[in-house]
């Protein structure tokens, strides 16, 4: 269950924010210091309930969530980065010196650095000094240990750190942190709405950009260029497929195979702006299509609509999964069960929760979600459809421009 920090904006106000974002200029980058202080205060309130003296965070998105530290340098695996959120006061950064200047532009005041990389002591002494008083007092701190988390430091360094702090109790804070991140602020939703509008505009240009005979590799490239030209910072996630009558795989790299009449083409994108993702796809027929693909598209469109309509406070992710599966079953006996039929969305392409039979997370206002049903049909074909929404007080609002009601044909 997500640990909700409470309602942030009414549905009427939320729709106004979304509509203004779509109609106006690019939003402002970054966040105010108030945004980060409120995130920290909500975390500290939950920490008090859990008896935690602090949170030790190591992964990019958790560090950025509490500090605003946003850099592509995370792509280098060489250096570890640490942020400690105490029970009171501002977070404390323990980071390589190369990041000190950028971190000073954030709202933090206590920034402790070392010259990295230093394999013999990559920040471990600094962390030990920071945490030693908590270990001496026998305090409990939280670390993210659960699903969709990772320990972004060498295991050997972690073992050394724990050996140096024998009195420290380390517990799992995954639910606390993920619960906070599941519920977006008004400022986050503004950024997500903007990048979804950019992605929608890029998909709208696809029929102008492609034609029969164009290699799939070039389709991907043209789409990326279009998205960036329309305002995306990047399009790091572009996947898809094209094959006769339907496709069977949506995660392989694109080939030089040219588009052919009778192909079903799918493109799925995760464009970014100011560190926030959209994540949705679109399907087209090339030249012409058949009844099998048309029916699959129709079922998926209606399954998507069922998921959108079920996305309201009080329902669970399992309810969304069941609503979509019931429609998918008209064509696919497996009910589209490839693991999940959508997920959370934000600073990461995929976030918690999951629309799956195993996930009973209750939906609350201001969650941003993907609705992503899929099905199998014909001779080994599959089809996937996806939209991005934000949950409001009474129901959900689309962030993406809804896909065409019938399978579009590119001629």
């Amino acid at each position: 269950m997500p640990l909700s920090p409470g309602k942030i904006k009414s549905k009427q106000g939320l729709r106004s924010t979304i509509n203004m974002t779509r109609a106006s200029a690019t939003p402002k980058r970054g966040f105010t210091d108030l945004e980060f202080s409120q995130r920290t205060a909500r975390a500290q309130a939950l920490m008090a309930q859990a008896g935690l003296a602090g949170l030790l965070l190591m992964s990019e998105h958790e560090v950025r969530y509490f500090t605003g530290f946003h850099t592509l340098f995370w792509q280098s695996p060489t250096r570890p980065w640490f942020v400690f959120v105490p029970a009171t006061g501002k977070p404390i950064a323990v980071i390589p010196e190369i990041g000190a200047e950028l971190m000073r532009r954030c709202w933090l005041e206590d920034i402790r650095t070392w010259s990295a990389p230093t394999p013999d002591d990559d920040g471990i002494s600094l962390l030990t000094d920071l945490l030693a008083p908590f270990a001496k007092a026998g305090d409990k701190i939280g670390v993210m240990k659960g699903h969709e988390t990772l320990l972004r430091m060498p295991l050997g360094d972690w073992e050394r750190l724990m050996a140096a702090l024998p009195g420290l109790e380390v517990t799992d804070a995954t639910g606390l942190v993920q619960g906070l991140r599941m519920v977006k602020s008004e400022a986050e939703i503004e950024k997500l709405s903007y990048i979804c509008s950019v992605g929608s505009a890029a998909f709208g240009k696809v029929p102008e950009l492609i034609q029969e005979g164009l290699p799939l590799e070039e389709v991907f490239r043209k789409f990326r260029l279009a998205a960036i030209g329309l305002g995306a910072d990047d399009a790091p996630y572009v996947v898809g497929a094209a094959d006769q009558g339907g496709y069977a795989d949506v995660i392989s790299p694109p080939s030089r195979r040219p588009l052919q009449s009778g192909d079903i083409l799918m493109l799925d994108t995760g464009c970014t702006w100011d560190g926030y993702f959209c994540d949705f796809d679109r399907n087209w027929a090339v030249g012409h299509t058949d009844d099998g693909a048309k029916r699959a598209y129709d079922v998926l469109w209606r399954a998507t609509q069922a998921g959108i309509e079920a996305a309201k406070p009080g329902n669970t992710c399992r309810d969304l999964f069941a609503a979509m599966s019931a429609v998918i079953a008209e064509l696919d006996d497996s009910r589209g069960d490839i693991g999940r039929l959508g997920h959370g969305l934000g600073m990461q392409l995929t976030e918690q929760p999951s629309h799956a039979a195993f996930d009973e997370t209750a939906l609350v206002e201001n969650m941003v979600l993907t609705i992503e049903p899929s099905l199998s049909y014909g001779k080994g074909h599959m089809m996937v459809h996806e939209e991005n929404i934000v949950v409001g007080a009474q129901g959900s609002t689309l962030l993406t421009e809804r896909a065409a009601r019938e399978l579009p044909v590119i001629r």
Side-chain angles (χ1 to χ4, degrees), residues 119-188:
D120 292 339
D121 185 5
D122 247 351
I124 300 306
S125 294
L126 290 174
L127 271 185
T128 301
D129 290 344
L130 173 62
L131 299 176
F134 301 100
K136 185 176 181 180
D139 287 333
K140 180 169 62 173
I141 68 166
V143 172
M144 297 185 70
K145 300 181 179 182
H147 191 231
E148 297 189 18
T149 71
L150 55 86
L151 187 69
R152 198 186 180 278
M153 65 186 296
L155 180 58
D157 283 1
W158 174 256
E159 291 172 341
R160 287 169 52 206
L161 180 66
M162 291 298 98
L165 302 165
L168 192 67
E169 181 181 351
V170 178
T171 190
D172 187 11
T174 304
L176 189 157
V177 178
Q178 288 182 344
L180 285 167
R181 286 187 51 201
M182 281 184 203
V183 185
K184 278 24 182 207
S185 70
E186 177 184 345
E188 288 181 291

Side-chain angles (χ1 to χ4, degrees), residues 261-284:
S261 183
D263 280 352
I264 301 298
L265 166 68
M266 188 276 276
L267 290 175
D268 185 354
T269 188
C271 298
T272 62
W273 188 84
D274 201 22
Y276 282 78
F277 276 89
C278 66
D279 177 22
F280 62 112
D281 71 38
R282 292 293 179 260
N283 291 274
W284 298 267

Side-chain angles (χ1 to χ4, degrees), residues 10-286:
S10 69
K11 187 175 182 182
Q12 181 178 0
L14 185 60
R15 280 180 170 163
S16 296
T17 296
I18 294 167
N19 291 336
M20 285 190 299
T21 300
R22 288 175 172 165
S24 64
T26 307
K28 291 181 65 175
R29 290 185 181 272
F31 296 100
T32 64
D33 288 356
L34 178 61
E35 174 91 8
F36 296 110
S37 66
Q38 289 176 337
R39 293 177 185 180
T40 302
R42 288 194 289 268
Q44 289 168 334
L46 295 171
M47 288 160 57
Q49 294 175 20
L52 295 180
L55 293 174
L56 179 59
L57 306 170
M58 294 169 264
S59 56
E60 175 184 1
H61 305 96
E62 280 69 43
V63 168
R64 176 150 48 106
Y65 184 78
F66 285 102
T67 68
F69 185 76
H70 185 196
T71 174
L72 291 176
F73 205 68
W74 286 94
Q75 294 186 30
S76 168
T78 303
R79 298 166 175 88
W81 306 77
F82 310 105
V83 165
F84 183 72
V85 182
T88 60
K90 293 184 178 183
I92 299 165
V94 181
I95 61 172
E97 176 60 32
I98 196 170
E101 176 57 32
L102 178 57
M103 188 63 83
R104 290 189 192 104
R105 299 176 205 165
C106 303
W107 77 299
L108 273 60
E109 296 172 353
D110 190 344
I111 302 168
R112 310 177 189 188
T113 69
W114 78 98
S115 178
T118 306
D120 292 339
D121 185 5
D122 247 351
I124 300 306
S125 294
L126 290 174
L127 271 185
T128 301
D129 290 344
L130 173 62
L131 299 176
F134 301 100
K136 185 176 181 180
D139 287 333
K140 180 169 62 173
I141 68 166
V143 172
M144 297 185 70
K145 300 181 179 182
H147 191 231
E148 297 189 18
T149 71
L150 55 86
L151 187 69
R152 198 186 180 278
M153 65 186 296
L155 180 58
D157 283 1
W158 174 256
E159 291 172 341
R160 287 169 52 206
L161 180 66
M162 291 298 98
L165 302 165
L168 192 67
E169 181 181 351
V170 178
T171 190
D172 187 11
T174 304
L176 189 157
V177 178
Q178 288 182 344
L180 285 167
R181 286 187 51 201
M182 281 184 203
V183 185
K184 278 24 182 207
S185 70
E186 177 184 345
E188 288 181 291
I189 291 169
E190 183 180 27
K191 296 178 191 296
L192 287 160
S193 178
Y194 177 72
I195 191 56
C196 285
S197 71
V198 171
S200 294
F203 276 130
K205 282 191 167 291
V206 166
E208 306 170 20
L209 299 173
I210 70 171
Q211 64 281 327
E212 186 178 341
L214 186 70
L216 188 59
E217 183 180 272
E218 297 299 324
V219 173
F220 280 36
R221 183 172 291 111
K222 283 178 176 287
F223 181 84
R224 279 195 171 93
L225 291 171
I228 293 170
L230 287 164
D233 289 338
D234 199 1
Y237 185 81
V238 177
V239 300
D243 211 338
Q244 287 289 294
Y247 43 87
D249 167 31
V250 296
I251 65 171
S252 296
S255 69
R256 293 294 300 174
R257 176 191 180 276
L259 293 180
Q260 301 171 18
S261 183
D263 280 352
I264 301 298
L265 166 68
M266 188 276 276
L267 290 175
D268 185 354
T269 188
C271 298
T272 62
W273 188 84
D274 201 22
Y276 282 78
F277 276 89
C278 66
D279 177 22
F280 62 112
D281 71 38
R282 292 293 179 260
N283 291 274
W284 298 267
V286 179

Side-chain angles (χ1 to χ4, degrees), residues 325-407:
S325 293
V327 181
I328 291 168
E330 295 178 18
L331 185 59
D332 182 355
D333 291 340
S334 76
R335 296 176 177 264
D337 188 5
I338 59 169
R340 65 182 181 182
L341 301 179
H343 49 80
L345 177 68
M347 287 189 289
Q348 292 172 278
L349 181 77
T350 69
E351 298 183 354
Q352 293 281 7
S354 294
H355 308 324
F358 61 77
D359 197 328
E360 296 189 8
T361 300
L363 303 186
V364 298
E365 192 174 351
N366 287 17
M367 280 184 169
V368 175
L369 307 170
T370 72
I371 303 295
E372 189 179 11
S374 65
L375 54 74
S376 299
Y377 70 100
K379 297 181 179 179
H381 295 151
M382 68 177 295
M383 192 177 286
V384 184
H385 184 57
E386 190 171 17
E387 302 285 1
N388 300 162
I389 64 169
V390 57
V391 179
Q394 304 300 321
S396 61
T397 300
L398 278 163
L399 297 177
T400 47
E401 183 176 332
R402 189 73 164 96
R405 182 62 183 83
E406 297 181 352
L407 178 61

Side-chain angles (χ1 to χ4, degrees), residues 278-342:
C278 66
D279 177 22
F280 62 112
D281 71 38
R282 292 293 179 260
N283 291 274
W284 298 267
V286 179
H288 70 275
T289 188
D290 59 28
D291 290 341
K294 289 179 182 178
R295 187 181 179 210
Y297 186 92
D298 173 68
V299 171
L300 273 184
W301 198 96
R302 289 186 289 110
T304 303
Q305 193 63 29
I308 293 170
E309 292 172 4
K312 54 188 177 183
N315 280 350
T316 67
C317 291
R318 183 174 182 171
D319 292 331
L320 267 64
F321 176 83
M324 289 183 272
S325 293
V327 181
I328 291 168
E330 295 178 18
L331 185 59
D332 182 355
D333 291 340
S334 76
R335 296 176 177 264
D337 188 5
I338 59 169
R340 65 182 181 182
L341 301 179

